Amino acid sequence: MEITEKDREFMREAIRLADESVQHGGGPFGAVIVKDGEIIAGNSNSVTLDNDPTAHAEVNTIRRACHKLGTFDLSGCTIYTSCEPCPMCLGAIYWARISKIFYGNNRKDARDIDFADDFIYEELDRPIEKRTVPLIPLLRDEALRSFRMWSAKTDKIEY
């Protein structure tokens, strides 16, 4: 795959957002989403600033891009993120249907500064009954009601 000068420019913007985040008390992560050669949205990590563990740069940027475009489907978009996405962000990227991911730092680089996502990858590989945080099934029969309602709904917007 050929990497263009525009790709480098977009990545530099993600890195700039990460730098700016550190300077303003946030985490060292930034991201931009590009569609048709234009930056649609950019943001940084605000976990500690917002007291929100989901406020990673990628998630914040996805939210901003979806709001701007008025859609939950970011097909055809590319995300440039200053670090390889953690499992949560990778999941959000897939749910948003983003078509391509470019990243700067990798997981090991993040681990080297005490941002270790490896434990989540390890947890996902374990059987449910052996995970650190217990997953306990409860009231499945009652919970299935919502799923049945969704399946029967004729005017639903699928995602």
Side-chain angles (χ1 to χ4, degrees):
M1 172 181 187
E2 182 182 343
I3 295 175
T4 68
E5 192 52 43
K6 285 296 267 182
D7 292 323
R8 290 179 182 85
E9 178 185 320
F10 297 139
M11 181 57 76
R12 285 186 182 105
E13 178 60 12
I15 293 167
R16 185 193 69 74
L17 289 167
D19 292 345
E20 188 177 273
S21 180
V22 172
Q23 293 165 357
H24 293 102
F29 306 97
V32 297
I33 292 177
V34 172
K35 183 171 182 149
D36 300 327
E38 176 187 334
I39 293 177
I40 300 302
N43 215 324
S44 58
N45 179 292
S46 61
V47 169
T48 57
L49 298 173
D50 294 340
N51 292 318
D52 180 352
T54 69
H56 290 202
E58 297 91 338
V59 172
N60 287 342
T61 304
I62 289 168
R63 289 175 179 155
R64 193 171 272 180
C66 288
H67 180 76
K68 181 175 182 179
L69 296 176
T71 182
F72 55 82
D73 185 343
L74 298 177
S75 296
C77 291
T78 299
I79 190 165
Y80 296 80
T81 179
S82 65
C83 186
E84 181 180 351
C86 74
M88 176 185 70
C89 292
L90 190 58
I93 289 166
Y94 276 85
W95 276 114
R97 297 186 181 108
I98 292 173
S99 302
K100 194 181 303 179
I101 306 165
F102 286 91
Y103 65 92
N105 296 311
N106 62 37
R107 275 194 268 178
K108 182 186 178 318
D109 299 325
R111 184 178 60 236
D112 289 347
I113 62 164
D114 297 325
F115 285 94
D117 300 326
D118 290 339
F119 78 96
I120 298 172
Y121 288 104
E122 291 166 6
E123 282 287 296
L124 292 172
D125 281 340
R126 289 188 180 115
I128 287 177
E129 63 278 0
K130 294 191 177 187
R131 293 187 183 165
T132 304
V133 177
L135 275 84
I136 306 159
L138 181 64
L139 298 178
R140 177 173 177 256
D141 291 338
E142 291 180 36
L144 281 170
R145 180 177 53 241
S146 302
F147 281 16
R148 286 188 204 102
M149 289 169 59
W150 174 259
S151 290
K153 192 170 174 59
T154 58
D155 63 341
K156 63 187 166 208
I157 298 173
E158 297 203 27
Y159 61 97

